[in-house]
Amino acid sequence: MSIQQKLWGGRFEEATDAFVEAFTASVDFDKRLASHDIRGSIAHATMLERLGLLTREELQAIVSGLEAIGAEIEAGQFPWEVSLEDVHMNIEARLTQRIGEAGKKLHTGRSRNDQVATDVRLYLRTEIDRICGMILRLQTALVDLAEREAATIMPGFTHLQVAQPVTFGHHMMAWYEMLSRDYDRLRDCRKRVNVMPLGAAALAGSSFPLDRDYTAALLDFSGPAANSLDAVSDRDFAIEFAACASLVLMHLSRFSEELILWTSAQFGFIDLPDAFCTGSSIMPQKKNPDVPELIRGKSARVFGHLFALLTLMKSQPLAYNKDNQEDKEPLFDTVDTLSGCLRAFADMMPHVRPNRSAMYASARKGYATATDLADYLVRRGTPFRDAHEIVGKAVRLGMESSRDLADIPLEELRSLSSVIGPDVYQVLTLEGSVAARSHPGGTAPDCVKRAVAEARVRLAALQGS
Ligand code: ARG
């Protein structure tokens, strides 16, 4: 392409260096924004016609031309040109090629600077809605599992050592809660994404009396950005999204780690479906939990993108700088990675099969009801510190003879404290221990069922909205 054919070629004498042309181009990746670019252009043109800057016929030609280009792109028949640099100039040049003079008027009162910022916001807004839907689907799978396993007992851990018995349903609802905060964070982030840069033009606004409220309404933005310099330059909304995405993936990586541990022979707490595992090329017995492992690993690239975006923005003077073209690949990969991980998780969880007897047997090891015995002594007037000491001795007694606390005869227990009575065995069983924790937020089966019911109300309300 000759320099005079470029949309900005007027003041140039020499052709762009061939390498520089390829180096500065973004079309290979920003063509992903095409449908949003077209939508933004149609809204902008509609507003221009309203102001009398385009005739009705010109607007009609622009709209039908852009729609035809949209169809061409969807059909994979659009002639993308690297020499036209980016998605914006590719579409604009094609429009003029198709409809002639009217196409040249589309860019009135607009710059690629406000155009690209608008496109990215439209894109991200759509993706946030889709991702939020995926979070709700995963949460639904967790609530289903929690309901089925509300009374299933497993060991709860601190320091990865058996601590106290909990219910598997309660454990699943812990992940549900984390994902609820992730969901809320994304909805909140969306408010700041959903502000319209159009009208800021290159940086200073436009000398035309643009009706920015009208364009914003056409594009379902909450309103136009209040400051033109800010509107074209800051990418904090993309950074905020990457931070929200990083938190989701931090949670999914922790959850993955548990699934990986639980499928090992050493734990044996759950079975993952074959469809989500792979074998080993050398060890015939292996069934590897690849999907959770990969999700755990993929969190790393999204944390990297968050840092890339922060570093990209850091120290940039106002207003637009070409640096910002580098926001797209990390942002797109953040969206793709997060979507893939959420989808894999939501598809996998309904097929996870808990091994109730293995979890129960594991909770029986490790003196998980020791705290319950201490609480029992306190209820009979023993100060907690003394109770702690007495139970420590009881645990030692059990360890010396490989017996659980519930298996030590009453006489032996009474030798440690005379306040112990025959009713002690009600608190020493795993069932008694979890049932006792029945306050809101507790692990008792009744509490899990209540938490599940509340979650279902929330999910129905959000899925309906
Ligand atoms: N491709 C550019 C980007 O992604 C579009 C805006 C270019 N603006 C400019 N003045 N060079 O940021």
Side-chain angles (χ1 to χ4, degrees), residues 26 30 85-86 88 112-113 116 320 322 324-325 328:
S26 55
D30 66 17
E85 203 175 314
D86 56 26
H88 323 292
R112 273 185 299 152
N113 298 351
V116 69
Y320 176 86
K322 182 81 168 180
N324 281 346
Q325 184 164 293
K328 286 167 203 64

Side-chain angles (χ1 to χ4, degrees), residues 268-332:
F269 286 5
I270 57 163
D271 231 349
L272 286 182
D274 282 2
F276 290 82
C277 297
T278 62
S280 157
S281 58
I282 176 170
M283 296 167 284
Q285 85 283 13
K286 292 293 293 283
K287 175 175 156 184
N288 296 326
D290 288 46
V291 170
E293 286 178 279
L294 199 54
I295 292 170
R296 187 177 59 183
K298 279 186 186 289
S299 60
R301 57 199 281 166
V302 169
F303 299 173
H305 294 328
L306 168 62
F307 236 80
L309 289 169
L310 271 173
T311 314
L312 172 68
M313 202 69 242
K314 179 192 169 296
S315 310
Q316 269 194 54
L318 287 173
Y320 176 86
N321 300 284
K322 182 81 168 180
D323 310 41
N324 281 346
Q325 184 164 293
E326 284 289 304
D327 66 352
K328 286 167 203 64
E329 287 160 293
L331 182 62
F332 295 162

